[in-house]
Amino acid sequence: MVSAQRLKVNLPDSPPPQVIHDAVCPACCCLCDDIALTVRDGRVESVENACQHGRAWFLSPPKENVSAASIDGASAPLDAAVAAAARVLRAARYPLVYILPDMASEAQRLAIGVADWLDAVVDTATSGGHAPSIMGFQNAGKVTCTLGETRNRANLIVFWGTNVVKTYPRFFTRYSAEAKGMFVPRGRADRTCIAIDVAENETTRSVDNSYFIRPNADFEVLNTLRALIGGIRLDADRVVRQTNVPLTAWTELAEQMKQARFGSIVFGRGLMHSRGRHANCETLFRLVAELNDHTRFICRSIRAAGNITGGDKTMTWRTGFPFGVNLARGYPRYSPGEYTADEVLARGEADAALIVGGVASERLSNAAAAHLARIPAVYVASRHEPFTVNPTGQAAGTKIAIQTAIHGLQSAGTMYRMDDIPLRTRAVVPSPLPSEADVLRMLEDHLRGG
Ligand code: SF4
């Protein structure tokens, strides 16, 4: 019989945990880069400095499926799946490449290269989210700055149509309201925080003063503030009827904005997607520019999770346009309401699709998702698209799925923070799966080979 002591002596020592400092959390567009991770036996054991969303992202990643590739539901070697993907996409007359945000900008660049080889329509998740802000920016320009500058300088912050306290908790504590900065050393005590929204939420309850406006009245409110800042007299009855808030309250806010040492308007989907959409954003950008006649003022849009800002940057770098680009004629054509993934699918035009870096059906209208389910499609992502394969092969076209390593956890690359700052994510745990960039590089080689 072997003694317990002897057993203990013969057992190999379990490797000590590895502590990784200053890791980037890719779970939302804040990309907090001060996360400490303890990694043991190939998985993250503990997370420090992250909010509850970030902790959950690192501690409960999606289940990994090591049979990484499949063709029509049957497991296939990676090479065979990529070759089949190239055949399917090359055979299409009007292919779509849809770039989603769970991937590095290096992979986004390769996806645009693939679209170029295919003469495809190429679009990103921005078309279904942040597009109104981009279009407003194209019309009016934008006065903005980095999150670091807001943190160090802003003594008035207006949260407009965004519940950051709930969705991005550390935006509130690390970059804005509660953060201590160079010129606001006491943090929250040195700042005035205001919220403009249609209903009470966690953010309106955390600020000094809230304005509850009529739904879809953002355009009217923005123009009320522009008029007051420009010294134009307004009809008090009309203002309260249109905005739900008395003129005296708007006059007080306009004065507060002019008197701020450094002001910031942080806006979200509530403003971007209410009636007016890109006209709201354009009017906001004009309001902020006009405020700079009186003081220093900027605006900052809150983006969705993942590398969505990187998609805009990479698309603009490679095609000259931020989203919704048609490469069918061999040169880029941009038409925001025409060449988006949702439009070309919902109109039944795309006859094959490459979906990369996320789950497309979560972002598409019912008509677009239904058409995507009917056509041949290649999915390259760490999360599988919930498509159904018709065993008769009649209704659904060929479906090729290639599972990739989880970006920011199992594979490294560049991501862009919401303020356009690029940050490098790390592969903190190993994975046998390829990255999106690995797969797209193989696919591009096939397409290039003719
Ligand atoms: S705020 Fe966003 S980036 Fe920061 S820890 Fe939370 S989920 Fe991660």
Side-chain angles (χ1 to χ4, degrees), residues 37-58:
L37 302 170
T38 306
V39 176
R40 191 200 295 266
D41 296 334
R43 63 177 200 86
V44 176
E45 196 176 69
S46 70
V47 182
E48 278 169 48
N49 298 338
C51 69
Q52 73 269 25
H53 305 314
R55 259 198 310 278
W57 192 88
F58 280 110

Side-chain angles (χ1 to χ4, degrees), residues 233-415:
R233 287 166 65 89
L234 295 173
D235 177 337
D237 290 344
R238 206 162 164 185
V239 167
V240 74
R241 214 169 43 245
Q242 287 182 333
T243 69
N244 205 34
V245 175
L247 178 59
T248 47
W250 292 129
T251 308
E252 198 180 306
L253 177 59
E255 225 20 68
Q256 220 173 347
M257 286 171 144
K258 280 169 32 182
Q259 298 303 325
R261 195 179 62 231
F262 185 110
S264 168
I265 298 178
V266 176
F267 67 102
R269 284 182 74 93
L271 182 142
M272 260 184 271
H273 285 263
S274 71
R275 192 181 61 205
R277 293 171 60 92
H278 66 276
N280 295 348
C281 299
E282 183 178 333
T283 311
L284 170 68
F285 300 153
R286 293 194 193 284
L287 165 68
V288 171
E290 287 156 9
L291 278 163
N292 278 275
D293 290 342
H294 304 272
T295 183
R296 179 89 170 89
F297 227 97
I298 64 102
C299 59
R300 155 77 27 235
S301 54
I302 294 286
R303 303 297 307 259
N307 193 18
I308 207 151
T309 308
D312 303 348
K313 304 287 126 204
T314 318
M315 280 284 282
T316 308
W317 163 42
R318 299 291 283 176
T319 72
F321 302 105
F323 63 93
V325 174
N326 187 330
L327 299 168
R329 289 192 187 158
Y331 58 87
R333 284 180 295 155
Y334 171 61
S335 181
E338 193 179 0
Y339 301 137
T340 65
D342 200 84
E343 289 287 335
V344 298
L345 287 169
R347 289 197 303 262
E349 291 171 354
D351 57 350
L354 167 62
I355 310 294
V356 54
V359 178
S361 50
E362 289 175 356
R363 298 169 184 271
L364 295 172
S365 62
N366 289 344
H371 184 69
L372 177 61
R374 282 194 292 270
I375 60 174
V378 180
Y379 304 95
V380 179
S382 55
R383 286 190 299 145
H384 275 309
E385 191 87 25
F387 61 82
T388 50
V389 175
N390 184 337
T392 66
Q394 307 258 308
T398 300
K399 301 290 186 190
I400 297 161
I402 300 174
Q403 190 170 9
T404 54
I406 301 164
H407 174 67
L409 182 71
Q410 299 168 331
S411 66
T414 305
M415 287 183 86

Side-chain angles (χ1 to χ4, degrees), residues 78-148:
L78 180 62
D79 285 351
V82 173
R87 276 197 301 277
V88 159
L89 294 169
R90 207 189 283 122
R93 293 181 59 229
Y94 198 79
L96 164 73
V97 175
Y98 191 22
I99 299 172
L100 296 168
D102 297 342
M103 63 197 283
S105 287
E106 290 81 352
Q108 291 170 331
R109 181 183 72 79
L110 286 158
I112 297 164
V114 166
D116 201 4
W117 285 107
L118 293 169
D119 296 336
V121 167
V122 56
D123 189 28
T124 70
T126 289
S127 61
H130 204 67
S133 163
I134 302 246
M135 290 161 69
F137 170 44
Q138 287 171 325
N139 287 345
K142 182 165 66 172
V143 185
T144 190
C145 68
T146 62
L147 295 181

Side-chain angles (χ1 to χ4, degrees), residues 25 27-28 30-32 50-51 53-54 170:
C25 170
C28 87
C30 291
L31 293 190
C32 296
C51 69
H53 305 314
R170 292 193 85 209

